[in-house]
Amino acid sequence: MDFDMNLLKFDAHGLIPAIIQDVDSNEVLMMAYMNRESLQRTLETGRTWFWSRSRQELWNKGATSGHYQEVKEIRYDCDADSLLVRVVQTGAACHTGERTCFHNPVMTGEAGAPVSAGILKEVYDVIMSRKSEMPEGSYTTYLFTRGIDKICKKVGEEAAEVIIGAKNRNREEVIYEVGDLIYHLLVLLAEQGVDPEEVYRELAGRR
């Protein structure tokens, strides 16, 4: 579908801000600028292209790092002066290696504030760090040291605990045991070299 770019309001430098959002978790990953050419390339290739104000050149996200952004949807706001680009992110969005560029807190929510599904990615990243560094005294290190048989055994045990809690109609126990099960499943994914995003995409295909 051809899009009429005249509908958009580019600034005096021919740029428009683009907010990049994870299509599965809704996590805001980064903000960059597009001009007409980079937006056109994004539409044509299905991967994000931006305009670098510092280097004064087009750049394709992931061309160097391999951390590509597969575009699933692009919208513009009510004033037509900014874009929302929803993507499947491969690897880290930030050049620092962080999942999102917005990792520096100014104000954080109070204890008990809602936690997004992005916590799964955070836990997975910690697990991957443990797998790489294998620090002594870490339970995750212990699981990786014992190997796939131990990890699978723990997944089975935690699944059984969830079933027992559910059969007992014990809400708090179900929450606790599901947390344990998800953690061990994430360890299993890490051991198998599977990123949770691959599972998210599998689930999205079942909608």
Side-chain angles (χ1 to χ4, degrees):
M1 179 181 70
D2 291 331
F3 175 72
D4 183 3
M5 293 194 192
N6 291 321
L7 295 172
L8 300 176
K9 297 177 182 176
F10 293 86
D11 67 16
H13 302 286
L15 303 176
I16 188 169
I19 300 166
I20 314 303
Q21 181 185 46
D22 187 287
V23 72
D24 295 316
S25 68
N26 292 325
E27 184 179 23
V28 176
L29 300 173
M30 58 179 285
M31 193 283 285
Y33 288 90
M34 291 184 174
N35 59 12
R36 289 174 181 267
E37 185 177 356
S38 62
L39 177 54
Q40 186 62 45
R41 290 198 186 188
T42 298
L43 293 170
E44 291 173 351
T45 65
R47 288 182 173 177
T48 52
W49 284 77
F50 304 106
W51 175 258
S52 171
R53 294 178 299 169
S54 59
R55 301 192 304 271
Q56 290 292 293
E57 65 180 14
L58 291 170
W59 62 284
N60 175 209
K61 176 66 176 177
T64 301
S65 65
H67 296 169
Y68 290 103
Q69 294 170 341
E70 182 182 349
V71 178
K72 295 299 182 181
E73 182 181 55
I74 302 178
R75 296 175 178 267
Y76 59 92
D77 73 341
C78 54
D79 294 321
D81 60 3
S82 63
L83 298 173
L84 176 65
V85 184
R86 307 189 72 213
V87 305
V88 172
Q89 174 70 53
T90 298
C94 184
H95 73 280
T96 63
E98 295 285 346
R99 164 70 178 173
T100 169
C101 292
F102 296 95
H103 58 269
N104 297 307
V106 174
M107 181 180 74
T108 57
E110 298 178 357
V115 180
S116 75
I119 190 65
L120 295 178
K121 180 62 177 174
E122 293 180 25
V123 173
Y124 182 79
D125 287 344
V126 172
I127 291 170
M128 289 298 291
S129 174
R130 297 289 188 272
K131 182 182 179 183
S132 172
E133 300 170 7
M134 299 292 277
E136 292 185 13
S138 164
Y139 175 65
T140 308
T141 297
Y142 163 76
L143 289 176
F144 284 126
T145 300
R146 293 294 300 274
I148 186 62
D149 289 343
K150 180 65 175 180
I151 295 170
C152 287
K153 181 180 178 182
K154 290 300 298 181
V155 169
E157 290 174 356
E158 298 304 338
E161 294 293 339
V162 171
I163 293 171
I164 292 170
K167 293 286 287 184
N168 290 338
R169 298 293 183 181
N170 188 323
R171 186 172 184 276
E172 288 72 25
E173 184 178 353
V174 168
I175 293 171
Y176 182 85
E177 297 299 345
V178 167
D180 273 352
L181 176 58
I182 291 175
Y183 160 76
H184 286 92
L185 284 171
L186 290 174
V187 172
L188 178 64
L189 291 180
E191 196 281 338
Q192 297 285 301
V194 177
D195 192 288
E197 291 179 13
E198 297 178 70
V199 179
Y200 301 157
R201 290 196 286 274
E202 172 64 25
L203 291 172
R206 301 183 184 186
R207 290 182 294 193

